[in-house]
Amino acid sequence: MPKSAAELWEDYLPRLAEAKEQDREEITRAFLPLIIPLGRFKVVPPTIERLLWLEEIKSPFLMGDREPTKNDVIAFLWVCSPDFRVGFDHGRKFGRRHWLHFSLKWRWYANEIGEFCVELMKQLGADTEQDVGPGKPMQYDWLPTFVDGFASQYHWTEQDIMNIPVYRVGYYAQAMMSRLDMKGKTAKFAPRQDRVKKEYLMEVNRMKAA
Amino acid sequence: MAITRDGTQAFGIEDSPVTINAVTYVMENASFTYGSNVPEVVDGNGEAIGRTIVPSPVEGTATLQLAASDTALPALGNEFTTSGDRNADTYIITEVSDTQSSGDYEKVNISFYAKLN
């Protein structure tokens, strides 16, 4: 006998509880000062500024538009290094210092960085099923909007804002919108819980269509 | 307009499915307000000497998660029924706000009040 929508929901409740816990853990991790080992190197979760540098150098790990080269690997590891400093010479020294190691293992690093970036994008709310077509254009002015929002609400300096790990930006933005939203019109999003609910709704639709 | 009953979920819990006009949504952050009108009887000096509390229809707001971006939005005047121990009633939608999305997920806010009869 087919299940009703409410009976199916009962089946999904344990998964929803698990997803809720995962969302909570993800928020906790976003606020910890993590340094992630990657081979013989260490990387930090990208900040807004580091993300902009990666965008500026058109890193394929961020853009996803071409296969990465050895130089792309070096550039990514330098920009995400805890020792990163702005300046072409600093980056060149980093590359020279590890040239032999990179020559031998850059493909392995390219795969690891690729996985790191996929995970990063997932945590930023991107989903493999995400519709990024013309109906959902990315806002071109997201950066000044964020800087303006954080500066006016929290009185942080521009540099403080640029140094926020991107993991946290969405959480702050959501908290800020909820606080400022006097009429309660802002929907709250929780990636893992929302995914379970979406799967439930798709399953209900399949049941109805059957 | 047809009323669709959907299971025995108890409202007051955090999330719950609800069927509106034959479309199933997940309802989140539902809030119900039990308000009243309080007419006053005043004396010749305008001071209150008596009040009566007249319950007004239960009003509420909620967020609905949609299955997909092409899922039909609930329309003004649509009805939905909730079951369970608390807030079990039939409600009429009075406001539907813009759809908000994050990644692959779509949500919409609604306001409603309890149907009188």
Side-chain angles (χ1 to χ4, degrees):
Chain A
M1 188 178 168
K3 287 182 177 179
S4 69
E7 285 168 342
L8 183 66
W9 180 248
E10 290 295 321
D11 293 347
Y12 272 75
L13 285 179
R15 288 182 58 193
L16 193 61
E18 192 182 329
K20 190 175 184 179
E21 181 60 18
Q22 287 171 346
D23 279 332
R24 191 195 64 76
E25 286 172 359
E26 225 156 69
I27 292 174
T28 303
R29 273 198 298 275
F31 283 84
L32 290 173
L34 297 178
I35 294 182
I36 304 152
L38 197 66
R40 71 155 62 165
F41 300 95
K42 287 176 180 161
V43 295
V44 293
T47 59
I48 293 178
E49 183 173 339
R50 288 171 198 251
L51 208 63
L52 292 178
W53 280 116
L54 290 172
E55 192 179 293
E56 188 62 24
I57 62 173
K58 304 199 182 321
S59 172
F61 296 110
L62 199 68
M63 319 296 272
D65 56 346
R66 60 180 171 82
E67 287 294 312
T69 64
K70 182 163 66 177
N71 283 340
D72 293 323
V73 169
I74 295 169
F76 184 93
L77 289 172
W78 171 237
V79 171
C80 291
S81 158
D83 303 322
F84 172 70
R85 280 178 293 163
V86 177
F88 182 70
D89 287 344
H90 300 304
R92 195 163 53 184
K93 274 182 197 166
F94 175 80
R96 279 185 188 155
R97 200 160 54 238
H98 303 288
W99 187 255
L100 182 61
H101 183 67
F102 281 130
S103 295
L104 295 172
K105 297 199 70 174
W106 73 270
R107 288 181 203 280
W108 180 85
Y109 279 106
N111 282 333
E112 292 292 308
I113 293 169
E115 285 176 21
F116 175 78
C117 288
V118 166
E119 196 55 37
L120 174 70
M121 291 303 156
K122 271 187 193 167
Q123 293 193 13
L124 292 178
D127 199 80
T128 48
E129 297 167 16
Q130 185 175 7
D131 175 10
V132 289
K136 294 183 176 177
M138 186 174 176
Q139 273 194 306
Y140 69 92
D141 61 347
W142 68 271
L143 183 59
T145 303
F146 273 123
V147 173
D148 174 69
F150 287 128
S152 59
Q153 286 297 312
Y154 301 152
H155 307 291
W156 290 345
T157 66
E158 188 183 70
Q159 195 54 52
D160 287 340
I161 296 164
M162 297 298 277
N163 288 337
I164 306 173
V166 288
Y167 287 141
R168 294 182 204 166
V169 172
Y171 295 125
Y172 278 127
Q174 187 156 312
M176 201 190 298
M177 281 192 292
S178 296
R179 178 167 51 81
L180 296 174
D181 173 29
M182 308 303 276
K183 291 182 177 176
K185 297 292 183 194
T186 303
K188 291 180 179 170
F189 290 94
R192 310 241 179 202
Q193 294 169 70
D194 290 346
R195 183 173 302 161
V196 173
K197 290 174 201 167
K198 184 185 173 77
E199 285 168 9
Y200 162 79
L201 289 167
M202 301 304 271
E203 181 71 26
V204 164
N205 286 341
R206 274 195 293 273
M207 277 169 33
K208 283 182 182 170
Chain B
M1 204 171 286
I3 298 171
T4 306
R5 285 204 169 270
D6 183 31
T8 56
Q9 71 276 18
F11 266 76
I13 61 173
E14 202 170 358
D15 307 302
S16 185
V18 63
T19 300
I20 303 171
N21 201 24
V23 179
T24 302
Y25 306 87
V26 174
M27 185 177 262
E28 309 169 352
N29 304 317
S31 120
F32 298 82
T33 302
Y34 292 77
S36 65
N37 292 312
V38 186
E40 276 184 352
V41 177
V42 295
D43 65 13
N45 296 320
E47 290 183 11
I49 56 171
R51 293 192 177 101
T52 307
I53 297 174
V54 182
S56 48
V58 178
E59 295 179 346
T61 60
T63 302
L64 303 178
Q65 181 167 333
L66 284 60
S69 55
D70 58 356
T71 301
L73 294 180
L76 298 181
N78 277 170
E79 298 179 7
F80 63 95
T81 301
T82 62
S83 321
D85 296 334
R86 288 193 292 155
N87 306 309
D89 211 336
T90 298
Y91 298 92
I92 300 177
I93 295 174
T94 57
E95 189 180 0
V96 181
S97 69
D98 286 342
T99 311
Q100 300 173 52
S101 65
S102 172
D104 204 25
Y105 313 114
E106 306 270 338
K107 301 192 181 190
V108 64
N109 287 300
I110 59 167
S111 302
F112 50 83
Y113 70 79
K115 190 178 180 184
L116 293 177
N117 50 48

